[in-house]
Amino acid sequence: MLNQIKDDNPEEFQDVVKAKVGGKEYTYGAPYIAQALVLFYDKSKITDDQVKSWEGIQQAARAANAKATTVMGNDSYSLSFFQLATNAETHGTSVELYTPGATNEETIKNVKFTGDDNVARFRWAQRFFGDANGGALSGDTGFESLLKDGSVLSLIGGAWKYEGVAAALGDNLGVAELPTFTITSRDEYGTCAAGTVMKSGSFYDAKILCLNAMNKVVKKDKALCEQIIKYMSSVEIQEGSFEEANNLPAYKNAATEFEAMSKDTPQAKLAQMQYAMRQWSISQPFGPSAALNTLFYSSGQDTYTQDILQYKDSNNGGATYYSTGDQVKEGLQKIENILRNVSN
């Protein structure tokens, strides 16, 4: 099973299923499904050229008197597309959420979220979500209704939203990589200058199969479970899982070896775009334990993200704030402190 995990998975998936305990490295899971954020869009209103950039999608939205896009939710995962964006030319970013192969303590110490490029990306996002034809935060109306009535032209979403989007857009459904955006003079900060092109990012995740630790008590049960995991995470089963249930394989060569993924179908296109996002993504869970992952999603940092986007300070009665680059950096410092599990 260990050889199968090593042979069949991309390096980033091998990293996230390892942990050091007492100075010894262990593998604790077998990847079997992958996933990444993509852009679902109305191809009757957004051209093939426009869908490559947020500026192009905004142009289409102005023509349609609509919002360019919306998100699945206002949480840190759904809003990660600009936080995880990288320089489109160099792939560079100052953001660091985890250090592959490091201990949890080392990973937390290395967290970086306040770089000039991240400040500039947040300033761009402020303008984008504040524009009449830009992004829309998640609200009371579901994205299906917004897409169906044409008030929103796209959704930043995962494969688990495919059925809802397909029902809303029908034959007009398009699937693309997350677009680029360009830092302007209103967004630039420090060393991140106007004209810098950013490529929206994502988390490229692996779902994994694990053993219950209690299985070590009865050796025959442990051996049986290992056989089940090896079988369920095998290339053969992953290919069948894609064909039957549209589950994106974790297998590193699926895009070239699985016939169903090269077909001209919406499901194959969805898989292809998720694989395309791999080079613009990082994997979870950020470290050898769930601690940092929990901090990222469950400790209030998403509130600061929403506050920055809406120029408000929830800790001060919703007063206007985050209107300058330095104030945005203050907010990012609070997020970094949370990720480092430090009182802010």
Side-chain angles (χ1 to χ4, degrees):
M1 183 168 64
L2 291 174
N3 288 336
Q4 179 174 292
I5 291 170
K6 182 179 179 180
D7 293 341
D8 292 352
N9 289 281
E11 187 175 344
E12 57 265 36
F13 284 1
Q14 294 181 48
D15 287 338
V16 297
V17 297
K18 294 178 181 178
K20 287 183 179 178
V21 180
K24 184 177 179 180
E25 185 175 81
Y26 293 88
T27 298
Y28 61 84
Y32 70 108
I33 291 176
Q35 61 187 26
L37 293 176
V38 296
L39 189 76
F40 298 107
Y41 69 99
D42 187 338
K43 63 183 182 182
S44 71
K45 297 176 181 175
I46 302 174
T47 68
D48 292 344
D49 188 57
Q50 287 174 327
V51 80
K52 296 176 182 177
S53 71
W54 286 118
E55 290 82 3
I57 296 173
Q58 281 184 284
Q59 182 185 49
R62 282 192 289 272
N65 191 28
K67 280 284 191 177
T69 196
T70 190
V71 291
M72 299 179 294
N74 298 328
D75 54 275
S76 300
Y77 186 95
S78 299
L79 293 171
S80 64
F81 75 99
F82 65 89
Q83 301 177 44
L84 297 183
T86 55
N87 186 298
E89 181 178 353
T90 67
H91 282 242
T93 179
S94 65
V95 170
E96 185 169 349
L97 293 180
Y98 81 107
T99 307
T103 65
N104 207 59
E105 292 75 17
E106 291 168 340
T107 288
I108 291 175
K109 183 180 179 180
N110 291 338
V111 166
K112 297 179 180 67
F113 209 69
T114 60
D116 291 353
D117 56 342
N118 207 29
V119 175
R121 287 192 288 265
F122 265 78
R123 298 189 79 190
W124 173 86
Q126 286 180 317
R127 289 192 306 102
F128 182 65
F129 280 97
D131 189 279
N133 303 114
L137 292 173
S138 180
D140 294 333
T141 304
F143 68 83
E144 298 95 339
S145 297
L146 297 173
L147 290 169
K148 189 171 184 177
D149 67 21
S151 56
V152 168
L153 301 190
S154 68
L155 170 75
I156 303 164
W160 56 96
K161 299 296 185 183
Y162 173 81
E163 296 298 334
V165 177
L169 293 178
D171 292 339
N172 291 325
L173 171 61
V175 187
E177 296 178 45
L178 296 183
T180 64
F181 58 93
T182 301
I183 300 300
T184 73
S185 59
R186 290 173 288 178
D187 316 318
E188 63 180 356
Y189 186 82
T191 58
C192 189
T196 303
V197 180
M198 299 286 184
K199 172 74 170 179
S200 299
S202 173
F203 290 110
Y204 186 69
D205 302 329
K207 293 185 177 181
I208 65 175
L209 296 167
C210 304
L211 283 174
N212 186 316
M214 291 303 293
N215 280 318
K216 66 184 180 182
V217 177
V218 182
K219 288 186 178 181
K220 67 176 183 178
D221 290 348
K222 180 175 183 290
L224 175 60
C225 288
E226 287 174 342
Q227 292 176 38
I228 292 172
I229 289 175
K230 185 174 185 293
Y231 176 71
M232 293 300 293
S233 61
S234 68
V235 172
E236 176 188 4
I237 295 301
Q238 288 191 47
E239 183 172 16
S241 180
F242 175 72
E243 293 174 350
E244 298 295 333
N246 200 30
N247 288 319
L248 184 71
Y251 177 49
K252 63 183 179 182
N253 296 327
T256 56
E257 294 182 12
F258 291 179
E259 182 181 353
M261 288 187 63
S262 61
K263 292 183 178 179
D264 185 21
T265 64
Q267 292 84 357
K269 184 71 170 180
L270 172 58
Q272 293 160 13
M273 291 303 101
Q274 288 184 88
Y275 269 117
M277 284 303 301
R278 175 182 162 187
Q279 65 175 314
W280 304 102
S281 306
I282 67 170
S283 295
Q284 299 183 77
F286 315 146
S289 82
L292 190 54
N293 190 282
T294 299
L295 287 171
F296 187 77
Y297 293 116
S298 307
S299 300
Q301 76 104 333
D302 55 336
T303 299
Y304 287 111
T305 297
Q306 293 173 51
D307 276 4
I308 294 171
L309 293 181
Q310 299 175 89
Y311 299 96
K312 72 176 185 180
D313 183 0
S314 293
N315 292 329
N316 191 25
T320 300
Y321 203 64
Y322 302 119
S323 57
T324 69
D326 289 345
Q327 289 176 347
V328 169
K329 189 167 185 175
E330 285 180 33
L332 299 186
Q333 184 64 65
K334 293 176 180 178
I335 294 173
E336 184 177 291
N337 289 346
I338 290 174
L339 297 179
R340 291 188 177 199
N341 200 16
V342 178
S343 172
N344 55 31

